[in-house]
Amino acid sequence: MKKTIIITGGAGFIGSHVVRLFVNKYPEYRIVNVDALTYAGNLENLRDVEAADNYIFEKADILHTDDLERIFSTYQPDGIIHLAAESHVDRSILSPLDFVYTNVVGTVNLLNAAKKLWGSTLYPQPSTFPRFYHVSTDEVYGALGETGLFTEETPYSPNSPYSASKASSDHFVRAYGETYHLPVIITNCSNNYGSHHFPEKLIPLFINNIIHKKPLPVYGDGLYTRDWLFVKDHAAAIDLVFHKGNNLATYNIGGFNEWKNIDLVKLLCKLMDEKLGNVKGTSEKLIAYIKDRPGHDRRYAIDASKINKELGWKPSVTFEEGLAQTIDWYLENTEWLKNVTSGEYTKYYDLQYTKR
Ligand code: NAD
Ligand code: DAU
C-alpha cells in the first residue's frame, strides 16, 4: 500500500517546493496537498505536478474541523508535513488574531485530527511513519546581538505576533508529543528565498519594485541581519528530517549566510542592473529609508551543526548562485508577479504602506 502524506500549505512559497520534491522523488507516496488558498496560496505554483498520479489537492481551511475530519478519514495519512500558516510579520502587526487562529488553533486542530487517527501509541525510534512534522521558524528565539547563534537549546523569546504564534504552535506540537505520545518533530529555519516567493517579503518585493522602478522601502537604519537559505535547500532538509529525524527532536536549519539588509539590497540592485542592462547604480537610487517595523528583531543567525552532524545536511548552492537563479525566475515569470499583485492583494498592500 502506498504511504499517504498530507502536506498543508502546499500552494504557498515553501510548501510548493516541498510538494514538488515529494511528488517527483517519491512515486510510491500519495501526496495530498491541503490548502485554503489564502492570498498567499496559488495553484499556479504547482502547474508542473498537478497532473501527477500521486498528487491530490484538497482545498480546505485548517480552522474547519469538519473538513479536517473528512480529509483524515478519507486519506488516513501516514505522515503530515505542516506548513500552512500566516507567514508575514508585517501583517501580524496589523492583524494578530489571524495569526492566532491559523497558526495556533489551526495547528491544534491538525494535532487533534492526527491523535484521533493514530491514537496515543508509543512508537519506536527511529521510525518515519506515522509522523507529524511541524515546519517552524528561527524567529521563535527572538533577537541576537552582534555575536552568537541560535542553537536548539536557545530559549524561546518571540517578539512579533507572528513569532509568538509560531512559538505557541511549537509548544503545542511538543506538548502533544509528551502528553499523547504523538510522533512529532519540529524544525526551525531561517529566512528562505527563491522562486514563487510572495512579493510582500524583502527579496521578491524589491525585485518586483526594481522591475517597476518603484521605491525600495528599507526599514529603519537597514542594519538588521538575516541568515538567508535557498528554498530548495530547505525542502531538501525537510525531506531528510521527515525520513531520518527522531521523534520529539528539533533541528535548526540555516544558510550559514548572514547579510545586513542594506548590503543585500545593494547586491540585489547591482545584479538587477546587470540583468536588465541598466546603467550601473540605477536601481540603488530607488532605495528609500522608511519608518522601522515595530519590534523589529536586530539579528537572526542559525547554528545548523546538529542537522549537519546527525543527518549530513548542508546547503547545496551559494548565495550568489541562488540569488541569480531567483532573479532569473522572476524576470521569466512577470505574468505570475502581475497576477499575484493585482486585485485584493493590491488593496492590502497600499493600506500597509499608507499606515506608516
Ligand atoms: P506562505 O505564506 O507563502 O504560504 C502559506 C500557505 O498556507 C499558503 O498556501 C496559504 O494558502 C496556506 N494557508 C494559510 N492559512 C491557511 C489555513 N487556515 N488553512 C489552510 N491553508 C492555509 O508561507 P511560506 O513562506 O511558504 O511558509 C511556510 C511555512 O514555513 C510557515 O509555517 C512558516 O512559518 C514557515 N517558515 C517560513 C520561512 C520563510 O522564510 N518563508 C522560514 C522559516 C519557516
Ligand atoms: O526568519 C524566518 C522568517 O523569515 C519566516 O519565519 C517568516 O515567515 C518570513 O517572512 C521571514 O521573516 P522576516 O520578517 O525576516 O522577512 P521579511 O522578508 O519580511 O523581512 C526581511 C528583513 O527585511 C527584515 O529585517 C525586515 C526588512 N524589510 C522587509 C520588508 C518587507 C525591509 O527593510 N523592507 C521591507 O519592505
Side-chain angles (χ1 to χ4, degrees), residues 252-324:
N252 281 353
I253 306 172
F256 307 98
N257 181 37
E258 287 184 49
W259 284 80
K260 288 201 167 38
N261 290 341
I262 192 62
D263 296 336
L264 168 54
V265 169
K266 286 182 177 166
L267 173 66
L268 201 56
C269 287
K270 178 174 154 289
L271 294 175
M272 288 292 288
D273 281 345
E274 285 165 13
K275 302 264 184 198
L276 293 169
N278 288 341
V279 174
K280 216 171 144 184
T282 305
S283 299
E284 269 201 31
K285 292 195 187 121
L286 298 170
I287 292 176
Y289 287 91
I290 65 161
K291 195 173 157 196
D292 211 348
R293 171 187 277 175
H296 199 169
D297 286 330
R298 195 61 168 167
R299 176 172 165 260
Y300 303 144
I302 282 277
D303 177 352
S305 51
K306 179 179 175 189
I307 187 172
N308 176 259
K309 282 196 197 106
E310 288 189 14
L311 305 180
W313 176 87
K314 61 177 187 334
S316 71
V317 294
T318 65
F319 193 46
E320 288 67 23
E321 288 163 350
L323 206 51

Coordinates of all heavy atoms in Angstrom, one line a residue, residues 252-324:
N252 N 17.6 22.9 14.0 CA 17.7 24.2 13.3 C 18.2 24.1 11.9 O 19.1 23.2 11.7 CB 18.7 25.1 14.1 CG 18.1 25.7 15.4 OD1 16.9 25.5 15.6 ND2 18.9 26.3 16.2
I253 N 17.6 24.9 11.0 CA 18.1 24.8 9.6 C 18.4 26.3 9.2 O 17.6 27.2 9.4 CB 17.0 24.3 8.7 CG1 16.4 23.0 9.1 CG2 17.4 24.2 7.2 CD1 15.2 22.5 8.4
G254 N 19.6 26.5 8.6 CA 20.0 27.8 8.3 C 21.1 27.8 7.1 O 21.6 26.7 6.8
G255 N 21.3 29.0 6.6 CA 22.1 29.1 5.4 C 23.6 29.3 5.7 O 24.4 29.4 4.7
F256 N 24.0 29.5 6.9 CA 25.4 30.0 7.2 C 25.7 31.2 6.3 O 26.7 31.3 5.7 CB 26.5 28.9 6.9 CG 26.2 27.6 7.6 CD1 25.6 26.5 6.9 CD2 26.6 27.4 8.9 CE1 25.4 25.3 7.5 CE2 26.4 26.2 9.5 CZ 25.8 25.1 8.8
N257 N 24.7 32.1 6.3 CA 24.8 33.1 5.2 C 24.1 34.4 5.7 O 23.0 34.8 5.3 CB 24.0 32.6 4.0 CG 24.0 33.5 2.8 OD1 24.9 34.2 2.6 ND2 22.8 33.5 2.1
E258 N 24.8 35.1 6.6 CA 24.3 36.3 7.2 C 24.5 37.6 6.3 O 25.6 37.8 5.8 CB 24.9 36.6 8.5 CG 24.6 35.7 9.6 CD 25.2 36.1 10.9 OE1 25.2 37.3 11.3 OE2 25.9 35.3 11.6
W259 N 23.4 38.3 6.2 CA 23.5 39.6 5.4 C 22.8 40.7 6.1 O 21.7 40.5 6.6 CB 22.9 39.5 4.0 CG 23.7 38.7 3.1 CD1 23.8 37.3 3.0 CD2 24.6 39.2 2.0 NE1 24.7 37.0 2.0 CE2 25.2 38.2 1.4 CE3 24.9 40.5 1.6 CZ2 26.1 38.3 0.3 CZ3 25.8 40.7 0.6 CH2 26.4 39.6 -0.1
K260 N 23.5 41.9 6.2 CA 22.7 43.1 6.7 C 21.8 43.4 5.5 O 22.2 43.4 4.4 CB 23.7 44.2 7.0 CG 24.5 44.0 8.3 CD 25.0 45.3 8.8 CE 25.6 45.2 10.2 NZ 26.3 44.0 10.6
N261 N 20.6 43.9 5.9 CA 19.6 44.2 4.9 C 20.1 45.1 3.8 O 19.9 44.9 2.6 CB 18.3 44.8 5.5 CG 17.5 43.8 6.3 OD1 17.7 42.6 6.1 ND2 16.6 44.3 7.2
I262 N 20.8 46.2 4.2 CA 21.2 47.2 3.2 C 22.2 46.6 2.3 O 22.2 46.9 1.1 CB 21.7 48.5 3.9 CG1 21.8 49.6 2.9 CG2 22.9 48.3 4.7 CD1 20.5 50.0 2.1
D263 N 23.1 45.7 2.8 CA 24.1 45.1 1.9 C 23.4 44.2 0.9 O 23.8 44.2 -0.3 CB 25.2 44.3 2.7 CG 26.0 45.3 3.6 OD1 26.1 46.5 3.3 OD2 26.5 44.8 4.7
L264 N 22.5 43.5 1.4 CA 21.7 42.6 0.5 C 21.0 43.4 -0.6 O 21.0 43.0 -1.8 CB 20.8 41.7 1.3 CG 19.7 40.9 0.6 CD1 20.3 40.0 -0.4 CD2 18.9 40.1 1.6
V265 N 20.4 44.5 -0.2 CA 19.6 45.3 -1.1 C 20.5 45.8 -2.2 O 20.2 45.9 -3.4 CB 18.8 46.4 -0.4 CG1 18.2 47.4 -1.3 CG2 17.7 45.8 0.5
K266 N 21.7 46.3 -1.7 CA 22.7 46.8 -2.7 C 23.1 45.7 -3.7 O 23.3 46.0 -4.9 CB 23.9 47.5 -2.0 CG 23.5 48.8 -1.4 CD 24.6 49.5 -0.7 CE 24.2 50.9 -0.2 NZ 25.1 51.5 0.7
L267 N 23.4 44.5 -3.2 CA 23.8 43.4 -4.1 C 22.6 43.1 -5.1 O 22.9 43.0 -6.3 CB 24.1 42.2 -3.2 CG 24.3 40.9 -4.0 CD1 25.6 41.0 -4.8 CD2 24.4 39.7 -3.1
L268 N 21.4 43.1 -4.6 CA 20.3 42.9 -5.4 C 20.2 43.9 -6.5 O 19.9 43.6 -7.7 CB 19.0 42.9 -4.6 CG 17.7 42.2 -5.0 CD1 18.0 40.7 -5.4 CD2 16.6 42.3 -4.0
C269 N 20.4 45.2 -6.1 CA 20.3 46.3 -7.1 C 21.4 46.1 -8.2 O 21.1 46.3 -9.4 CB 20.6 47.6 -6.4 SG 19.2 48.2 -5.4
K270 N 22.6 45.7 -7.8 CA 23.7 45.5 -8.7 C 23.3 44.4 -9.7 O 23.4 44.6 -10.9 CB 24.9 45.2 -7.9 CG 26.2 44.9 -8.8 CD 27.4 44.8 -7.9 CE 28.5 43.9 -8.5 NZ 28.3 42.5 -8.6
L271 N 22.9 43.2 -9.2 CA 22.6 42.1 -10.0 C 21.4 42.4 -11.0 O 21.4 42.1 -12.1 CB 22.2 40.9 -9.2 CG 23.3 40.3 -8.3 CD1 22.8 39.1 -7.5 CD2 24.5 39.8 -9.2
M272 N 20.4 43.1 -10.4 CA 19.2 43.5 -11.3 C 19.7 44.5 -12.4 O 19.2 44.3 -13.5 CB 18.1 44.1 -10.4 CG 17.4 43.2 -9.5 SD 16.4 42.0 -10.4 CE 15.0 43.0 -11.0
D273 N 20.5 45.4 -12.1 CA 21.0 46.3 -13.1 C 21.7 45.6 -14.2 O 21.5 45.8 -15.4 CB 22.0 47.4 -12.5 CG 21.2 48.5 -11.8 OD1 20.0 48.6 -12.0 OD2 21.8 49.3 -11.0
E274 N 22.5 44.6 -13.8 CA 23.3 43.8 -14.8 C 22.3 43.0 -15.7 O 22.4 43.0 -16.9 CB 24.2 42.8 -14.1 CG 25.5 43.5 -13.6 CD 26.2 42.6 -12.6 OE1 26.0 41.4 -12.5 OE2 27.1 43.1 -11.9
K275 N 21.3 42.4 -15.0 CA 20.3 41.5 -15.8 C 19.4 42.4 -16.7 O 19.0 42.0 -17.8 CB 19.4 40.8 -14.9 CG 20.1 39.8 -13.9 CD 20.2 38.4 -14.4 CE 20.8 37.5 -13.4 NZ 21.3 36.3 -13.9
L276 N 19.1 43.6 -16.2 CA 18.2 44.5 -17.0 C 18.9 45.4 -18.0 O 18.3 46.1 -18.7 CB 17.3 45.3 -16.1 CG 16.3 44.6 -15.1 CD1 15.8 45.5 -14.1 CD2 15.2 44.0 -16.0
G277 N 20.2 45.3 -18.0 CA 21.0 46.1 -18.9 C 21.0 47.6 -18.5 O 21.1 48.5 -19.4
N278 N 20.7 47.9 -17.2 CA 20.7 49.3 -16.7 C 22.1 49.9 -16.6 O 23.0 49.1 -16.3 CB 20.0 49.3 -15.3 CG 18.6 49.1 -15.4 OD1 17.9 49.2 -16.4 ND2 18.0 48.7 -14.2
V279 N 22.2 51.2 -16.6 CA 23.4 51.8 -16.2 C 23.7 51.5 -14.7 O 22.8 51.5 -13.9 CB 23.3 53.4 -16.4 CG1 24.5 54.1 -15.9 CG2 23.0 53.7 -17.8
K280 N 25.0 51.2 -14.4 CA 25.4 50.9 -13.0 C 24.8 52.0 -12.1 O 24.9 53.2 -12.4 CB 26.9 50.9 -13.0 CG 27.5 49.9 -12.1 CD 29.0 49.8 -12.3 CE 29.7 49.6 -11.0 NZ 31.2 49.6 -11.1
G281 N 24.3 51.5 -10.9 CA 23.8 52.5 -9.9 C 22.3 52.9 -10.1 O 21.8 53.6 -9.2
T282 N 21.7 52.5 -11.2 CA 20.3 52.9 -11.5 C 19.4 52.5 -10.3 O 18.6 53.3 -9.8 CB 19.8 52.3 -12.8 OG1 20.7 52.6 -13.8 CG2 18.4 52.7 -13.1
S283 N 19.4 51.2 -10.0 CA 18.4 50.7 -9.0 C 18.7 51.2 -7.6 O 17.7 51.4 -6.8 CB 18.4 49.2 -9.0 OG 18.0 48.7 -10.3
E284 N 19.9 51.4 -7.2 CA 20.3 51.9 -5.9 C 19.6 53.2 -5.6 O 19.3 53.6 -4.5 CB 21.8 52.1 -5.7 CG 22.4 50.8 -5.2 CD 23.8 51.1 -4.5 OE1 24.0 52.2 -4.0 OE2 24.6 50.2 -4.6
K285 N 19.4 54.0 -6.7 CA 18.7 55.3 -6.5 C 17.3 55.1 -6.0 O 16.7 56.1 -5.5 CB 18.7 56.1 -7.8 CG 20.1 56.5 -8.2 CD 20.0 57.5 -9.4 CE 21.4 57.8 -9.9 NZ 21.5 57.6 -11.3
L286 N 16.7 53.9 -6.1 CA 15.3 53.7 -5.6 C 15.3 53.4 -4.1 O 14.2 53.4 -3.5 CB 14.7 52.5 -6.4 CG 14.6 52.6 -7.9 CD1 14.2 51.2 -8.5 CD2 13.5 53.6 -8.2
I287 N 16.4 53.2 -3.5 CA 16.4 52.9 -2.0 C 15.8 54.1 -1.3 O 16.2 55.2 -1.4 CB 17.8 52.6 -1.5 CG1 18.3 51.3 -2.2 CG2 17.9 52.5 0.0 CD1 19.7 50.9 -1.8
A288 N 14.8 53.8 -0.4 CA 14.2 54.8 0.4 C 14.1 54.3 1.9 O 13.5 53.3 2.1 CB 12.8 55.1 -0.1
Y289 N 14.8 54.9 2.8 CA 14.8 54.5 4.2 C 13.4 55.0 4.7 O 13.1 56.2 4.6 CB 15.9 55.1 5.0 CG 17.2 54.5 4.7 CD1 18.1 55.0 3.7 CD2 17.7 53.4 5.4 CE1 19.3 54.4 3.4 CE2 18.9 52.8 5.1 CZ 19.7 53.3 4.1 OH 20.9 52.7 3.8
I290 N 12.7 54.1 5.4 CA 11.4 54.5 5.9 C 11.3 54.1 7.4 O 12.2 53.4 7.9 CB 10.2 53.8 5.1 CG1 10.2 52.3 5.2 CG2 10.2 54.3 3.7 CD1 8.9 51.7 4.9
K291 N 10.2 54.4 8.0 CA 9.9 54.1 9.4 C 10.2 52.7 9.7 O 9.8 51.8 8.9 CB 8.5 54.5 9.7 CG 8.1 54.6 11.1 CD 6.7 55.2 11.2 CE 6.1 54.8 12.6 NZ 4.6 54.9 12.6
D292 N 10.7 52.4 10.9 CA 11.1 51.0 11.2 C 9.8 50.1 11.5 O 8.8 50.6 11.9 CB 12.0 51.0 12.4 CG 13.0 49.8 12.4 OD1 12.8 48.9 11.5 OD2 13.9 49.8 13.2
R293 N 10.0 48.8 11.3 CA 9.0 47.8 11.7 C 8.9 47.8 13.3 O 10.0 47.7 13.9 CB 9.4 46.5 11.2 CG 8.6 45.3 11.7 CD 9.2 44.0 11.2 NE 8.8 43.6 9.8 CZ 9.3 42.6 9.2 NH1 10.1 41.8 9.7 NH2 8.8 42.3 7.9
P294 N 7.8 47.9 13.9 CA 7.8 47.9 15.4 C 8.3 46.5 15.9 O 7.9 45.5 15.2 CB 6.3 48.0 15.7 CG 5.6 48.5 14.5 CD 6.4 48.1 13.3
G295 N 9.0 46.5 16.9 CA 9.5 45.2 17.5 C 10.5 44.5 16.6 O 10.7 43.3 16.7
H296 N 11.1 45.2 15.7 CA 12.0 44.6 14.6 C 13.2 43.9 15.3 O 14.0 44.5 16.0 CB 12.5 45.8 13.8 CG 13.0 45.3 12.4 ND1 13.3 46.2 11.4 CD2 13.3 44.1 11.9 CE1 13.7 45.6 10.4 NE2 13.7 44.3 10.6
D297 N 13.3 42.6 15.0 CA 14.5 41.8 15.6 C 15.8 42.2 14.9 O 15.8 42.2 13.7 CB 14.2 40.3 15.4 CG 13.2 39.8 16.4 OD1 13.0 40.3 17.5 OD2 12.5 38.8 16.0
R298 N 16.8 42.5 15.7 CA 18.0 43.1 15.1 C 18.8 42.0 14.2 O 19.2 42.3 13.2 CB 18.9 43.6 16.2 CG 20.1 44.4 15.8 CD 19.6 45.7 15.1 NE 20.6 46.7 14.9 CZ 20.4 47.8 14.1 NH1 19.2 48.0 13.5 NH2 21.3 48.7 13.9
R299 N 18.9 40.8 14.8 CA 19.7 39.9 14.0 C 19.3 38.4 14.3 O 18.9 38.1 15.4 CB 21.2 40.0 14.5 CG 22.1 39.0 13.9 CD 23.6 39.3 14.2 NE 24.4 38.2 13.9 CZ 24.9 37.3 14.8 NH1 24.6 37.5 16.1 NH2 25.6 36.2 14.4
Y300 N 19.2 37.7 13.2 CA 19.0 36.2 13.3 C 20.2 35.5 12.7 O 20.7 35.9 11.6 CB 17.8 35.7 12.5 CG 16.4 36.3 12.8 CD1 15.5 36.6 11.8 CD2 16.0 36.7 14.1 CE1 14.3 37.1 12.0 CE2 14.8 37.2 14.4 CZ 13.9 37.4 13.3 OH 12.7 37.9 13.6
A301 N 20.6 34.4 13.3 CA 21.7 33.6 12.7 C 21.6 32.2 13.3 O 21.5 32.1 14.5 CB 23.1 34.2 13.0
I302 N 21.6 31.2 12.5 CA 21.4 29.8 12.9 C 22.7 29.0 13.0 O 23.5 29.1 12.1 CB 20.5 29.2 11.8 CG1 19.0 29.6 12.0 CG2 20.6 27.7 11.8 CD1 18.2 28.8 13.0
D303 N 22.8 28.3 14.1 CA 23.8 27.2 14.2 C 23.2 25.9 13.7 O 22.3 25.4 14.4 CB 24.3 27.1 15.7 CG 25.3 26.0 15.8 OD1 25.5 25.2 14.9 OD2 25.8 25.8 16.9
A304 N 23.5 25.5 12.5 CA 22.9 24.4 11.9 C 23.8 23.1 12.0 O 23.7 22.2 11.2 CB 22.6 24.6 10.4
S305 N 24.6 23.1 13.1 CA 25.6 22.0 13.2 C 24.9 20.7 13.5 O 25.4 19.6 13.2 CB 26.8 22.3 14.1 OG 26.3 22.8 15.3
K306 N 23.8 20.7 14.3 CA 23.1 19.5 14.7 C 22.6 18.7 13.4 O 22.9 17.5 13.3 CB 22.0 19.8 15.6 CG 21.2 18.5 16.1 CD 20.1 18.8 17.0 CE 19.3 17.5 17.3 NZ 18.1 17.8 18.1
I307 N 21.9 19.4 12.6 CA 21.3 18.7 11.4 C 22.5 18.3 10.4 O 22.4 17.2 9.8 CB 20.3 19.6 10.6 CG1 19.6 18.8 9.5 CG2 20.8 20.9 10.1 CD1 18.5 19.5 8.9
N308 N 23.6 19.0 10.5 CA 24.7 18.7 9.7 C 25.4 17.4 10.2 O 25.6 16.5 9.5 CB 25.7 19.9 9.6 CG 27.0 19.5 8.9 OD1 28.0 19.2 9.5 ND2 26.9 19.5 7.6
K309 N 25.6 17.4 11.5 CA 26.4 16.2 12.1 C 25.5 15.0 12.1 O 25.9 13.9 11.8 CB 26.8 16.6 13.5 CG 28.0 17.4 13.6 CD 28.6 17.4 15.0 CE 29.6 18.6 15.1 NZ 29.1 19.7 16.0
E310 N 24.2 15.2 12.5 CA 23.4 14.0 12.7 C 22.8 13.4 11.4 O 22.6 12.2 11.2 CB 22.2 14.3 13.7 CG 22.7 14.4 15.1 CD 21.5 14.5 16.1 OE1 20.3 14.2 15.7 OE2 21.8 14.9 17.2
L311 N 22.5 14.3 10.5 CA 21.8 13.9 9.2 C 22.5 14.2 8.0 O 22.1 13.9 6.9 CB 20.4 14.5 9.2 CG 19.5 14.3 10.4 CD1 18.1 14.9 10.2 CD2 19.3 12.8 10.6
G312 N 23.7 14.9 8.1 CA 24.5 15.2 6.9 C 24.0 16.2 6.0 O 24.5 16.3 4.8
W313 N 23.1 17.1 6.5 CA 22.5 18.2 5.6 C 23.5 19.4 5.6 O 24.0 19.8 6.6 CB 21.2 18.6 6.1 CG 20.6 19.8 5.3 CD1 19.9 19.7 4.1 CD2 20.7 21.2 5.6 NE1 19.6 20.9 3.6 CE2 20.1 21.9 4.5 CE3 21.4 21.9 6.6 CZ2 20.0 23.3 4.5 CZ3 21.3 23.3 6.5 CH2 20.7 23.9 5.5
K314 N 23.6 20.0 4.4 CA 24.2 21.3 4.3 C 23.6 22.0 3.0 O 23.2 21.3 2.1 CB 25.7 21.3 4.4 CG 26.4 20.6 3.3 CD 27.9 20.9 3.5 CE 28.9 20.4 2.5 NZ 28.7 19.3 1.6
P315 N 23.7 23.3 3.0 CA 23.1 24.0 1.8 C 23.9 23.6 0.6 O 25.1 23.4 0.6 CB 23.4 25.5 2.1 CG 23.6 25.6 3.6 CD 24.1 24.3 4.0
S316 N 23.2 23.5 -0.6 CA 23.9 23.0 -1.8 C 24.3 24.1 -2.7 O 25.2 23.9 -3.6 CB 23.0 22.0 -2.5 OG 21.9 22.7 -3.1
V317 N 23.7 25.3 -2.6 CA 24.1 26.4 -3.5 C 24.6 27.6 -2.7 O 24.2 27.8 -1.6 CB 22.9 26.9 -4.4 CG1 22.4 25.8 -5.3 CG2 21.8 27.4 -3.5
T318 N 25.5 28.3 -3.4 CA 26.0 29.6 -2.7 C 24.9 30.6 -2.9 O 24.0 30.5 -3.7 CB 27.3 30.1 -3.4 OG1 26.9 30.4 -4.8 CG2 28.4 29.0 -3.5
F319 N 25.0 31.7 -2.1 CA 24.0 32.8 -2.2 C 24.0 33.4 -3.6 O 23.0 33.7 -4.1 CB 24.3 33.8 -1.1 CG 23.2 34.8 -0.9 CD1 21.9 34.3 -0.7 CD2 23.5 36.1 -0.8 CE1 20.9 35.2 -0.5 CE2 22.4 37.0 -0.5 CZ 21.1 36.6 -0.4
E320 N 25.2 33.6 -4.1 CA 25.3 34.2 -5.5 C 24.6 33.4 -6.5 O 23.8 33.9 -7.3 CB 26.8 34.3 -5.9 CG 27.6 35.4 -5.1 CD 27.8 35.1 -3.6 OE1 27.8 33.9 -3.2 OE2 28.0 36.0 -2.9
E321 N 24.7 32.0 -6.4 CA 24.0 31.1 -7.4 C 22.5 31.2 -7.2 O 21.7 31.3 -8.1 CB 24.5 29.7 -7.2 CG 25.9 29.4 -7.7 CD 26.4 28.0 -7.1 OE1 25.8 27.4 -6.2 OE2 27.4 27.6 -7.6
G322 N 22.1 31.1 -5.9 CA 20.7 31.0 -5.6 C 20.0 32.3 -5.9 O 18.9 32.3 -6.5
L323 N 20.7 33.4 -5.6 CA 20.1 34.7 -5.9 C 20.0 35.0 -7.5 O 18.9 35.5 -7.9 CB 20.9 35.9 -5.3 CG 20.2 37.1 -4.9 CD1 19.0 36.9 -4.1 CD2 21.2 38.1 -4.2
A324 N 21.0 34.5 -8.2 CA 20.9 34.7 -9.7 C 19.8 33.9 -10.2 O 19.0 34.3 -11.1 CB 22.3 34.3 -10.3

